[in-house]
């Protein structure tokens, strides 16, 4: 019995380590959304509004991450954004409600969600869509060149130096 308990503890420890190491490649963002409900306040209407607001809040958190991307990644992302947004749940986990409020007078719900975005998986999709990834290995160069050029914005011009020499003998 004691050996079984030790085995269960070992398994749970290994699983917890794997879960923690998996979360290290995720970035956390918070998103918020507001949704209105029509008519008289009922729990069913409020719950439906919360469900819609949760989806919008998660999308808002993902958009905040996208706004912080570097330019080259973002350009590639723009070309595949429909594919990413259609499968958004594959690239992030958004299940933790940070805050939720119901305003009965204004007939609206406000929710704040915490989203963990899997940056590694998203980077893989972006790299797969890049032009370099699509090219054949024979087309890729092993040599990279960087060229620098300089343009003159202003130039000073001086008269030639003239010296008068008088010889006296």
């Amino acid at each position: 019995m004691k050996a079984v308990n030790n085995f269960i503890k070992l398994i749970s420890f290994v699983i917890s380590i794997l879960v923690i190491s998996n979360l290290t490649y995720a970035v956390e963002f918070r998103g918020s959304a507001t949704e209105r409900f029509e008519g008289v306040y009922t729990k069913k209407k409020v719950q439906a509004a919360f469900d819609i607001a949760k989806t919008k809040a998660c999308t808002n958190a993902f958009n905040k991450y996208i706004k912080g991307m570097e330019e080259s990644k973002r350009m590639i992302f723009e070309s595949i954004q429909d594919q990413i947004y259609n499968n958004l749940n594959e690239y992030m986990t958004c299940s933790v409600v940070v805050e939720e409020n119901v305003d009965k007078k204004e007939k609206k719900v406000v929710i704040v969600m915490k989203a963990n975005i899997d940056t590694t998986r998203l980077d893989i999709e972006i790299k797969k869509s890049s032009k370099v990834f699509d090219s054949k290995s024979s087309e890729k160069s092993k040599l990279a060149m960087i060229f620098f050029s300089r343009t003159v914005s202003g130039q000073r011009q001086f008269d030639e130096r003239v010296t008068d020499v008088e010889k006296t003998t």
Side-chain angles (χ1 to χ4, degrees):
M1 187 67 179
K2 191 171 185 175
V4 173
N5 284 340
N6 287 339
F7 182 73
I8 291 173
K9 287 179 184 179
L10 178 67
I11 294 295
S12 63
F13 176 75
V14 170
I15 290 173
S16 65
I17 292 296
L18 289 174
V19 168
I20 290 172
S21 66
N22 191 24
L23 291 177
T24 59
Y25 298 110
V27 177
E28 181 180 298
F29 278 88
R30 292 178 186 220
S32 63
T34 303
E35 188 66 28
R36 296 193 174 279
F37 57 90
E38 299 292 326
V40 181
Y41 171 85
T42 61
K43 288 186 177 184
K44 189 174 183 179
K45 288 181 183 179
V46 170
Q47 188 59 42
F50 268 131
D51 291 340
I52 295 169
K54 283 179 183 178
T55 306
K56 287 182 179 180
C58 291
T59 305
N60 178 261
F62 189 75
N63 288 338
K64 286 180 182 179
Y65 169 72
I66 296 302
K67 287 179 184 176
M69 268 187 186
E70 61 188 48
E71 184 180 355
S72 59
K73 273 177 139 178
R74 183 135 183 220
M75 286 175 58
I76 298 170
F77 173 79
E78 295 291 330
S79 66
I80 59 168
Q81 72 179 358
D82 292 337
Q83 171 191 342
I84 301 291
Y85 279 113
N86 288 339
N87 302 314
L88 200 55
N89 292 333
E90 293 180 16
Y91 304 102
M92 72 177 198
T93 306
C94 187
S95 58
V96 178
V97 177
V98 177
E99 182 182 344
E100 60 182 21
N101 292 323
V102 179
D103 189 352
K104 295 177 186 177
K105 187 176 181 181
E106 296 287 325
K107 296 184 180 182
K108 67 179 182 179
V109 295
V110 179
I111 194 162
V112 178
M113 298 289 290
K114 181 171 73 169
N116 291 318
I117 300 168
D118 187 358
T119 56
T120 306
R121 182 153 185 182
L122 195 58
D123 287 344
I124 289 170
E125 287 298 321
I126 289 172
K127 286 177 185 174
K128 284 195 315 190
S129 299
S130 71
K131 301 289 184 203
V132 174
F133 189 82
D134 289 340
S135 62
K136 299 175 189 169
S137 61
S138 62
E139 295 173 349
K140 294 179 186 174
S141 174
K142 295 187 186 332
L143 185 65
M145 293 183 210
I146 300 174
F147 295 97
F148 293 97
S149 66
R150 223 174 116 178
T151 58
V152 177
S153 61
Q155 183 175 359
R156 293 171 130 184
Q157 194 168 9
F158 298 100
D159 292 334
E160 288 186 32
R161 183 176 282 175
V162 177
T163 52
D164 291 332
V165 178
E166 290 182 27
K167 286 188 177 180
T168 54
T169 43

